[in-house]
Amino acid sequence: MTRNSKFQILNSKKTHGVISLGATILLGGIMVEIGIAVALLSFFVNQGTAGGRLSAAALAAAGAGVDDAVLRIIRNEYPSVSYAVSYASQFSSAYSTVTICKGGDIGCAFSDPRKFDIISIGQSGSQPPFRKRKLNAVLEVDPAIWLIR
């Protein structure tokens, strides 16, 4: 046989590993795509979990703001303007802005001076996306003994 025959070229040692290069590149590309997909999936799952945690912290801060306002009304120490209350925990820092409106005041929804409207807006998160939750409480107070009904 001559050196230029097809049989010798196909069976020569120079071409034995050519197919493994293509298979290696193909398998490597598939593994890179799977890695990217897993990274994106875990990123979006973590973002959803963080949003739920921030939302729960904002709701807890709003509830704490309502509780603080009730205590101020009982003690007859409530301010006539909105005030901010900060709450810090081990996991998050949240604050609430509380507005106490006494019935009969300008801008208040009630005309009965025994009723108080408490609006507490809790916010959690130090940078966007912020989470805000709003709670509204209505109290009726006996002005003689400051009993809440």
Side-chain angles (χ1 to χ4, degrees):
M1 286 207 142
T2 63
R3 277 215 169 269
N4 293 335
S5 76
K6 289 183 179 181
F7 184 71
Q8 279 186 339
I9 292 174
L10 290 177
N11 287 330
S12 89
K13 290 188 176 187
K14 294 179 182 178
T15 60
H16 273 297
V18 172
I19 193 69
S20 67
L21 177 64
T24 303
I25 291 174
L26 179 68
L27 290 175
I30 290 172
M31 287 191 297
V32 166
E33 284 188 30
I34 289 172
I36 290 171
V38 167
L40 284 174
L41 182 66
S42 65
F43 172 76
F44 288 123
V45 166
N46 284 339
Q47 286 293 87
T49 304
R53 183 179 51 81
L54 287 175
S55 179
L59 184 62
V66 169
D67 292 341
D68 181 66
V70 169
L71 287 175
R72 288 181 187 225
I73 290 171
I74 290 171
R75 293 179 187 151
N76 200 12
E77 299 173 351
Y78 58 92
S80 60
V81 294
S82 296
Y83 64 96
V85 183
S86 296
Y87 305 98
S89 69
Q90 181 181 2
F91 302 108
S92 69
S93 177
Y95 69 92
S96 66
T97 303
V98 182
T99 304
I100 300 174
C101 182
K102 184 177 180 180
D105 289 348
I106 297 173
C108 193
F110 304 109
S111 60
D112 187 2
R114 296 180 300 162
K115 289 192 177 182
F116 288 86
D117 188 19
I118 302 169
I119 300 169
S120 177
I121 300 172
Q123 181 172 338
S124 180
S126 59
Q127 59 187 4
F130 298 112
R131 295 292 191 261
K132 288 186 176 183
R133 293 294 175 254
K134 179 180 178 181
L135 291 178
N136 193 1
V138 177
L139 301 177
E140 185 175 346
V141 179
D142 185 358
I145 58 172
W146 289 97
L147 177 68
I148 294 178
R149 296 181 195 166

